[in-house]
Amino acid sequence: MSKKGEESLPGFNRRDRQWHPDAFTPAYRSTILRSPKQKLVMLEQTLSETTGPVFGQNALGALDHDLIRNFAKPGESPIGERIIVHGHILDENGKGIPGALMEVWQANAGGRYRHKNDSYLAALDPNFGGCGRVLSDENGYYAFRTIKPGPYPWPNGGNDWRPAHIHFSLFGSGFAQRLITQIYFEGDPHIALCPIVNSINDPKAIDQLTARLDMEHTVPMDIRAYRLDVVLRGPNSTLFENRMEGN
Amino acid sequence: MAQAFLFKESASQTAGPYVHIGCTPNFVGISGVYAADSGLRMLSDGTKGERIRIHGRIFDGANDIVKDGLVEIWQADAEGLYNSPNETRGAADPEFVGWGRQPTDLETGHFAFDTIKPGCVPASDGRMQAPHISLWVVARGINLGLSTRLYFADEPDANSADPVLTGIADPARRETLIAVRKGDSYLFDIHLQGALETVFFDV
Ligand SMILES: [Fe+3]
């Protein structure tokens, strides 16, 4: 039943599940009851997995990529460190992915989310919403402006603090590429201490999520830049050899 | 199985409890940034096909309802064509994108999609698959988004010939993917753990 995908797209490379975090990482307590216990069932990709929605620039507003301005009152700004976050969205083969929709969300400079379930002591910033989105350009590059988020404590059973981070969601061209992950910032001592970060086994995989200060794109007297490149699953042109498996 | 590529896929991290800020900001009261939350409305008057509703809840291993989750669906149009540049067989219904996104309700945990019943899509070997909808589930405590499929209980013949469903070794587990019809609604509860654990796929 294994077939070369001759007539249609060959599909995406299989995910390396040693590289991604396991579902069950009990130091991050929320995974205990939310991790499937049965083995994942192998699915030979079909058009249902190789196709996916695309988004055009007309789906986005002019300020969507600018979290410094997209919620602020006229003439006002959010409090905190002004940063550009930018980089290349590419596939595993190194090819830039144009038109990839990146949606981001984050806490404000004090570490507080604009969400009714977040009751952290730090104040809400009346000029910061915490959401934004951007499409990668024709070569796969993205950039957005924001305020550097603050670290925050979270209820995980101990003295747990999240490193400063920006959550993001990415669409490639196929639904099998859907990915949500987080951007960290180099030099943050909380990275090494965080049970969510440490759900990832390989330090190289954590490093790949850690943005670097980028003086080259820092605008003097205005805003600092951080760079993070992001990799989505790439198309696999080799013969698909995995048989369908039970569980 | 893991092959060597130039780059590794960026590792996943949980969507966390505040995924709605980024994905459905209007739903959590952040208005004025996006005109509307993406994926909320899948249908227009011109969309071809049979109107249906897909709804359900997500349950954890203690059978508690997950109230901070997000569900996305992806499906073909009524003729079985995907509205995607990667669709090679023809042009899909221009009035149907086929992608939907819904938060689980913050109080009840319910999610619901108003959509159409999809047509059939072939597998890579050319055999027809039963009509189905792909789902992707994220939430706090889910380290890597979970992929599953919804099939329709009123398609018993197609389901019994479907290569993905029949590829699930334990027939009892196939039932976790079959949505039961009541009127125009199909109920699809998702169980992350336990005796009724939903089949999740390595896609
Ligand atoms: Fe967070």
Side-chain angles (χ1 to χ4, degrees), chain A residues 105-107 113 152 162-163 165 167 182, chain B residues 15-18:
Chain A
W105 64 101
Q106 63 167 92
Y113 284 97
Y152 59 84
R162 297 297 331 276
H165 63 279
H167 298 265
Q182 301 181 26
Chain B
Y18 306 126

Side-chain angles (χ1 to χ4, degrees), chain A residues 37-79:
Chain A
K37 294 296 176 220
Q38 305 280 339
K39 204 163 168 279
L40 297 178
V41 174
M42 283 285 191
L43 192 153
E44 187 170 359
Q45 289 169 29
T46 72
L47 282 158
S48 305
E49 289 72 39
T50 58
T51 59
V54 293
F55 302 87
Q57 195 64 53
N58 58 2
L60 274 62
L63 292 181
D64 284 6
H65 69 290
D66 190 349
L67 286 77
I68 295 176
R69 292 170 67 204
N70 71 13
F71 193 81
K73 298 183 184 75
E76 299 186 17
S77 316
I79 288 168

